Amino acid sequence: MERLTSTQMIPDAFQGARDDVTMQFAMIWGQIKAPLIVPLLRLAVAICLIMSLMLFIERVYMGIVIVLVKLFGRKPDRRYKWEPMKDDLEAGNSTYPMVLVQIPMYNEREVYQLSIGAACGLSWPSDRIIIQVLDDSTDPTIKDMVELECQRWASKGINIKYEIRDSRNGYKSGALKEGMKRSYAKSCDYVAIFDADFQPEPDFLRRTIPFLVHNPELGLVQTRWKFVNADECLMTRMQEMSLDYHFTVEQEVGSSTYAFFGFNGTAGVWRIAALNEAGGWKDRTTVEDMDLAVRASLKGWEFLYLSSVKVKNELPSTLKAYRYQQHRWSCGPANLFRKMLMEIITNKKVTSWKKVHVIYSFFFVRKIVAHLVTFIFYCVVLPATVLVPEVEVPKWGAVYIPSIITILNAVGTPRSLHLLVFWILFENVMSLHRTKATFIGLLEAGRVNEWIVTEKLGDALKSKANKAAKKPRFRFGERLHLLELGTGAYLFFCGCYDVVFGKNHYFIYLYAQAIAFFIVGLGCVGTIVPRS
């Protein structure tokens, strides 16, 4: 019998081939399709449509609230008292509260000088501020460099402390917790936290601390991130679009309506009394910042988001770094939701409406449904309906709702509207990684507590460019992502099937999305750093 290749079998199957293997497959498919596949796919479509409606209603609600906030001018200084800190000739600097500035870092060769320099440049009386560098670096050379930088600033009269510990237990939360145990930290009223790539402006404390001083109900003031490398590559532009929506809409809505939102882990100032009352830093999940925010909110503390104060920072520009970050940001909230659900439900200090907001809007819709529906519906179920034409997806679910959600998401970054199609395709690809991480968090599977610090390049790429420009060497296998490649192959097959048998013209989307999965699967996205 003549041997057939897979490329010959596929068109034969389309043509109703007489080959034994394909005939048997066709018979099995025909027997299970009507009683099993069709009902299951209809159920999947129904569940996905419900999740799409939940996400749609949430996006529209936030869109309406943000419009009302802008129209009625509910600015922070109108909702909360704010007065600038004033010098008192008689009392001296004692009118200024003591502020601790914590900078946790781990092998931050490229950016440590920027963050330490920016923190030491903050405008605040020198005897009322303590800079605390929490160095968990495992590279002794980098440790020495960071310590020397701290000594250099100390020689200029800056009250800066260089702290190390014996182990990295608890990772970032462990370092912050250890830092708060120092005797000098106990004399402080407020703590400002900056990751190693964040560079606050000199007036940062003067614009944030007064809100905490004059409003005893406030436990946290969170500021906005400003991305210094958003134009580095297309991937950083996509990240800017997603994060701009988070800050422009999600954080603003949470602050304006419920005085609650998730602490972003950096570029924020905590009232130490609120931090302590909430139980301090815990390392039970990889989102210690969100964990602390939820616990403080359940104690009755209010949060304020200041969009007018922006802190410069760096977006991950390599695909590897971005995937690790997104795993942590997706797995952590799902795992925290699992751990805190009953604690939120049984809490008696906050209103029922706030509980509903935290459980349904903040956790369930934004942190779980948003990831699941993006991948399962648009990359699995919708393409599957091409293969099973008996199951139809209503046009409002397949076209109208996702289009409106996409437009609402794009309002945060008007300058990138022309990149909207690329952003949709990229977000759909990343939703595979986020969905996997969400399930790991919900089920507490293997990588649930995986913590890998997001790599910051700083000027690393520029410094390596000349050294490796002639013959950059890459290990191609390290850049292959099989799940993305497999999903791309599935979408491409569905697209081919739709071209031959379909009637909804889904193949246009399927081919574009398949190409996006192939590009990411081959690692051909983001900044490629040559090996030195």
Side-chain angles (χ1 to χ4, degrees):
M1 182 176 176
E2 186 180 356
R3 189 175 179 180
L4 297 177
T5 64
S6 58
T7 54
Q8 290 172 321
M9 289 175 67
I10 291 174
D12 284 348
F14 288 159
Q15 299 166 15
R18 289 162 293 186
D19 181 83
D20 289 343
V21 175
T22 54
M23 285 295 291
Q24 289 176 8
F25 176 79
M27 287 176 61
I28 295 171
W29 175 253
Q31 289 175 350
I32 66 171
K33 184 177 179 182
L36 181 64
I37 302 298
V38 172
L40 286 177
L41 190 55
R42 280 180 178 152
L43 177 63
V45 168
I47 293 173
C48 288
L49 288 176
I50 291 170
M51 290 195 294
S52 293
L53 282 172
M54 293 167 67
L55 188 60
F56 172 73
I57 292 169
E58 176 72 10
R59 290 290 190 264
V60 171
Y61 158 73
M62 288 194 292
I64 292 171
V65 171
I66 202 68
V67 168
L68 293 176
V69 168
K70 300 297 182 184
L71 286 177
F72 292 100
R74 282 179 56 82
K75 295 182 178 179
D77 54 0
R78 292 189 180 184
R79 289 181 284 131
Y80 294 98
K81 183 180 179 181
W82 186 91
E83 291 180 1
M85 301 299 298
K86 296 178 181 178
D87 296 324
D88 191 316
L89 295 177
E90 295 182 359
N93 292 335
S94 61
T95 57
Y96 286 80
M98 280 293 294
V99 178
L100 176 68
V101 178
Q102 290 186 310
I103 310 174
M105 56 177 59
Y106 173 75
N107 293 339
E108 308 285 0
R109 179 191 296 271
E110 309 301 339
V111 294
Y112 74 95
Q113 287 180 310
L114 297 176
S115 57
I116 293 175
C120 291
L122 288 169
S123 174
W124 203 255
S126 59
D127 61 335
R128 308 299 291 172
I129 185 173
I130 303 172
I131 311 297
Q132 187 186 63
V133 177
L134 303 164
D135 190 11
D136 270 358
S137 298
T138 52
D139 186 324
T141 302
I142 298 176
K143 261 189 174 180
D144 292 341
M145 293 164 64
V146 175
E147 186 174 11
L148 284 173
E149 183 69 9
C150 292
Q151 291 173 356
R152 187 173 73 85
W153 282 103
S155 67
K156 296 181 179 182
I158 301 297
N159 189 1
I160 184 169
K161 309 290 185 181
Y162 175 73
E163 303 287 358
I164 59 174
R165 53 191 183 132
D166 295 331
S167 70
R168 289 189 67 217
N169 290 341
Y171 304 109
K172 179 181 174 180
S173 63
L176 294 170
K177 187 175 182 178
E178 282 296 314
M180 294 302 298
K181 291 179 180 179
R182 299 294 185 264
S183 57
Y184 57 82
K186 299 183 187 301
S187 65
C188 296
D189 304 294
Y190 307 105
V191 56
I193 302 167
F194 300 103
D195 282 350
D197 59 314
F198 278 71
Q199 305 162 55
E201 296 295 331
D203 63 350
F204 177 88
L205 294 178
R206 292 186 179 273
R207 297 176 68 183
T208 55
I209 294 291
F211 280 107
L212 294 163
V213 170
H214 298 298
N215 303 276
E217 70 274 21
L218 281 179
L220 165 69
V221 174
Q222 171 71 58
T223 62
R224 183 168 176 168
W225 299 359
K226 181 181 179 182
F227 313 112
V228 297
N229 65 329
D231 293 324
E232 184 172 329
C233 61
L234 188 59
M235 191 181 78
T236 53
R237 287 291 291 271
M238 303 297 100
Q239 292 178 66
E240 181 191 38
M241 293 177 71
S242 299
L243 288 170
D244 275 353
Y245 176 81
H246 168 70
F247 284 107
T248 304
V249 179
E250 290 180 345
Q251 297 294 72
E252 192 74 74
V253 168
S255 177
S256 302
T257 54
Y258 297 94
F260 168 79
F261 48 82
F263 173 44
N264 293 119
T266 178
V269 185
W270 276 95
R271 186 187 301 274
I272 292 180
L275 192 154
N276 291 335
E277 187 183 352
W281 295 102
K282 293 185 178 181
D283 59 1
R284 56 182 174 175
T285 70
T286 56
V287 283
E288 72 294 322
D289 42 15
M290 187 182 295
D291 188 348
L292 175 60
V294 175
R295 284 185 281 114
S297 179
L298 294 180
K299 294 292 184 181
W301 290 98
E302 295 182 6
F303 304 160
L304 175 65
Y305 169 65
L306 283 181
S307 61
S308 58
V309 181
K310 301 178 181 180
V311 181
K312 292 186 289 186
N313 73 294
E314 181 180 322
L315 291 164
S317 57
T318 65
L319 180 61
K320 181 180 179 181
Y322 185 56
R323 280 167 60 88
Y324 281 133
Q325 182 200 69
Q326 291 303 297
H327 173 84
R328 193 170 74 246
W329 286 7
S330 303
C331 177
N335 190 232
L336 183 63
F337 179 61
R338 170 189 171 126
K339 284 180 163 65
M340 291 202 70
L341 179 59
M342 292 310 299
E343 185 178 342
I344 298 170
I345 292 173
T346 57
N347 182 273
K348 296 180 180 179
K349 282 194 174 183
V350 297
T351 64
S352 297
W353 280 112
K354 192 165 188 176
K355 291 182 186 179
V356 171
H357 170 71
V358 175
I359 293 173
Y360 176 77
S361 296
F362 180 76
F363 272 118
F364 188 63
V365 176
R366 297 183 205 170
K367 310 301 181 186
I368 297 175
V369 167
H371 301 325
L372 300 187
V373 73
T374 303
F375 176 68
I376 295 175
F377 188 30
Y378 302 116
C379 301
V380 178
V381 173
L382 190 64
T385 61
V386 170
L387 306 177
V388 186
E390 293 90 341
V391 180
E392 293 186 0
V393 178
K395 190 168 288 187
W396 59 265
V399 180
Y400 300 144
I401 281 184
S403 298
I404 295 172
I405 290 175
T406 300
I407 293 170
L408 291 173
N409 272 312
V411 298
T413 317
R415 80 183 188 104
S416 297
L417 283 174
H418 63 291
L419 300 174
L420 202 54
V421 172
F422 296 102
W423 178 77
I424 294 169
L425 298 174
F426 180 70
E427 283 294 292
N428 286 351
V429 174
M430 291 308 302
S431 69
L432 165 60
H433 198 59
R434 293 171 185 144
T435 297
K436 183 177 70 171
T438 299
F439 279 120
I440 289 174
L442 289 173
L443 301 175
E444 289 201 328
R447 294 175 59 198
V448 67
N449 291 316
E450 179 184 74
W451 179 284
I452 296 176
V453 175
T454 305
E455 179 187 24
K456 294 97 179 178
L457 292 182
D459 293 326
L461 187 62
K462 297 177 184 177
S463 64
K464 289 181 181 179
N466 294 330
K467 296 180 183 179
K470 294 181 180 179
K471 287 187 178 181
R473 295 182 179 181
F474 307 107
R475 291 183 182 176
F476 192 68
E478 292 181 358
R479 293 167 52 190
L480 289 179
H481 305 291
L482 298 181
L483 282 178
E484 282 83 352
L485 291 173
T487 306
Y490 164 71
L491 291 169
F492 187 79
F493 173 76
C494 292
C496 292
Y497 192 92
D498 192 50
V499 168
V500 179
F501 300 108
K503 56 183 178 181
N504 293 319
H505 302 292
Y506 285 163
F507 66 87
I508 300 172
Y509 158 72
L510 293 171
Y511 281 148
Q513 192 62 70
I515 292 171
F517 268 100
F518 286 140
I519 291 173
V520 175
L522 293 172
C524 301
V525 66
T527 300
I528 307 298
V529 181
R531 292 179 177 273
S532 54

